Amino acid sequence: MKPIHVGLLGLGTVGSGTIEVLRRNREEIVRRAGRDIVIKVAGARDMKKPRSVSLDGIELVGHAGEVVARPDIDIVVELIGGDTDARELVLKAIDAGKHVVTANKALLALHGNEIFAAASAKGVMVAFEAAVAGGV
């Protein structure tokens, strides 16, 4: 079965941790989901910044909008924080028919209704458990 292709928006602490968790738990994820989850591309503001995780096999781009625009990406994981750029990128991803995962509490608090309505209209999911658990 075709793997699920993921695009990351942000390669800070949470983005790097996401890469590590998906790699470390790959076999279990495949067993449970029946498909591999592959991070294909990541957007980062500073392309030259040293990373705490290997980016082998992950294309690095300098603008998060490039990640959202890619037709080969199934799920966009928003990890840039804030509510302005994140809102714009999440809504573009939804409009492109991509599922979205976010841990961004500010984004959901300020724009959650708009985002969930857009996702419902497009028939895609917005997952946000990390944002909720972080608040607990």
Side-chain angles (χ1 to χ4, degrees), residues 9 14 18 22 41 52 64 68 79 86 88 100 113 117 121-122 124 135:
L9 307 181
V14 177
T18 299
L22 287 174
V41 61
S52 63
V68 172
L79 303 169
E88 178 184 329
V100 173
N113 290 341
K122 274 296 199 176
V124 297

Side-chain angles (χ1 to χ4, degrees), residues 3-7 22 26 36-41 57-58 73:
I4 298 169
H5 293 145
V6 174
L22 287 174
R26 181 174 180 252
D36 199 3
I37 297 177
V38 177
I39 300 174
K40 295 227 7 163
V41 61
I58 301 172
I73 298 301

Side-chain angles (χ1 to χ4, degrees), residues 27-112:
E27 289 181 23
E28 182 66 14
I29 291 168
V30 170
R31 186 185 72 75
R32 288 184 181 195
R35 295 170 71 178
D36 199 3
I37 297 177
V38 177
I39 300 174
K40 295 227 7 163
V41 61
R45 289 185 190 128
D46 185 352
M47 302 268 289
K48 296 185 190 311
K49 180 180 176 182
R51 307 287 171 193
S52 63
V53 65
S54 168
L55 298 177
D56 289 345
I58 301 172
E59 181 183 345
L60 188 60
V61 297
H63 190 279
E66 293 178 53
V67 175
V68 172
R70 291 200 28 176
D72 60 333
I73 298 301
D74 305 305
I75 299 174
V76 171
V77 179
E78 180 276 312
L79 303 169
I80 59 174
D83 67 290
T84 306
D85 292 341
R87 175 187 166 272
E88 178 184 329
L89 290 163
V90 164
L91 289 173
K92 283 182 179 179
I94 290 168
D95 190 53
K98 299 174 190 316
H99 302 289
V100 173
V101 176
T102 184
N104 189 332
K105 294 179 285 298
L107 175 69
L108 295 178
L110 295 170
H111 305 291

